[in-house]
Amino acid sequence: MPTPSLDSLPIRRLTLRDLTACADLSEDRGWPREEHKWGLLLAAGRGHGVEAPDGGLAAACVVTEYGPRERPSLAAVGMVLVAERHSRQGLGRRLMRHVVEGAGTTPLTLHATPLGRPLYEELGFKVTGQAEMVRGHFVPSGRPDILTRTATADDLPAILLLDEEVFGTDRTHIVTRLPAFADQLRVAEEDGRIIGYAAAWPNMDTHVVGPLIARDTATAQALIASLAAHTNRPLRTDIDVRHHELLDWVKEHGLAPVAFNAVMTHGITDLPGDWSRRFAPVTVAAA
């Protein structure tokens, strides 16, 4: 039997049954397995993949839609991976074209590494921003003036309202998964009103801070400090570079620069919502 060409292999829907294969694909490309993150993305988003003739996945990605189910207002593309043995054969381009065509008029966004950026530009994505990844053990200093506490079930309606206002579209299917997905979910309060919230979720040996939504830099700082106080792991997060005050502050408190990713969009010139209160995404794979 001749080996089928990559061009003839169908692109199929991925589900949670494919979680191990997705983690294997991550590992194949030298990325961490990140099974916990893959689980969230495959449950809340729509996975697309191509099975390799020799077993496993040849390529995969996940698209997470936001807004009304029947007419999403934004979709985030993430975890675009091609197995090393099948790389440089146009499979990533074919998969991304499938995503762009399937989105129709729904705007798209993604975080691009320097390696992936040329492909996305070829497909019509434009750079509209930048995020800096930082990582390290947080070194505390003093007590923040802003009150933070563990979120409760009663806080969820207020968190959802704040998240939609800041993100610019409905993310209920992501936010309502945070209590089970994250090890910590905390809110910042003023006069009994929630002015910010943040989660810390496990990713290999770190705790990823995301989402991080806050009224201002001081509130974001208080949330990060409170999350750090309840973990012995290093923190990792991806901060919008426009929040230079917060970036300077986390670096002063032990987090070191790791990498930059370009924030790119397709079909819109900028992301919706209020960037001034959106400090870090849940994960760069889901905006």
Side-chain angles (χ1 to χ4, degrees), residues 152-163 194:
T152 69
D154 290 339
D155 295 319
L156 194 54
I159 290 173
L160 285 167
L161 284 172
L162 176 63
D163 187 86
I194 292 176

Side-chain angles (χ1 to χ4, degrees), residues 73-276:
S73 54
L74 182 69
V77 186
M79 306 304 283
V80 182
L81 286 165
V82 177
E84 179 64 35
R85 64 192 183 280
H86 298 300
S87 63
R88 295 173 291 279
Q89 298 178 55
L91 196 51
R93 181 177 293 102
R94 180 175 163 229
L95 189 61
M96 281 301 301
R97 282 191 175 136
H98 175 80
V99 167
V100 171
E101 290 169 6
T105 59
T106 301
L108 298 171
T109 184
L110 54 78
H111 282 67
T113 64
L115 185 63
R117 179 172 161 179
L119 168 61
Y120 304 132
E121 288 178 330
E122 178 186 325
L123 294 171
F125 284 82
K126 307 292 185 185
V127 175
T128 54
Q130 191 176 46
E132 182 175 5
M133 181 192 295
V134 289
R135 183 188 186 280
H137 283 282
F138 182 85
V139 180
S141 63
R143 289 177 61 86
D145 294 330
I146 295 167
L147 173 67
T148 66
R149 59 170 175 80
T150 300
T152 69
D154 290 339
D155 295 319
L156 194 54
I159 290 173
L160 285 167
L161 284 172
L162 176 63
D163 187 86
E164 183 170 357
E165 180 184 330
V166 172
F167 193 74
T169 189
D170 178 54
R171 291 199 297 178
T172 298
H173 62 310
I174 290 287
V175 176
T176 53
R177 284 179 163 89
L178 290 177
F181 175 70
D183 284 345
Q184 296 186 61
L185 181 61
R186 299 186 66 84
V187 295
E189 272 189 325
E190 183 179 79
D191 299 327
R193 183 172 62 91
I194 292 176
I195 58 173
Y197 85 96
W201 50 272
N203 187 267
M204 311 308 288
D205 64 335
T206 68
H207 267 128
V208 176
V209 176
L212 175 56
I213 284 177
R215 179 185 63 185
D216 50 29
T217 300
T219 305
Q221 291 171 349
L223 284 164
I224 291 174
S226 67
L227 293 169
H230 293 84
T231 180
N232 293 320
R233 296 187 186 192
L235 298 184
R236 180 166 71 80
T237 191
D238 297 85
I239 297 174
D240 186 322
V241 297
R242 291 173 290 187
H243 293 296
H244 54 86
E245 284 184 64
L246 184 65
L247 277 166
D248 290 345
W249 180 81
V250 295
K251 291 170 186 176
E252 291 168 3
H253 287 77
L255 276 63
V258 176
F260 288 95
N261 285 324
V263 180
M264 306 186 77
T265 58
H266 185 285
I268 47 174
T269 56
D270 202 359
L271 291 173
D274 180 3
W275 76 266
S276 69

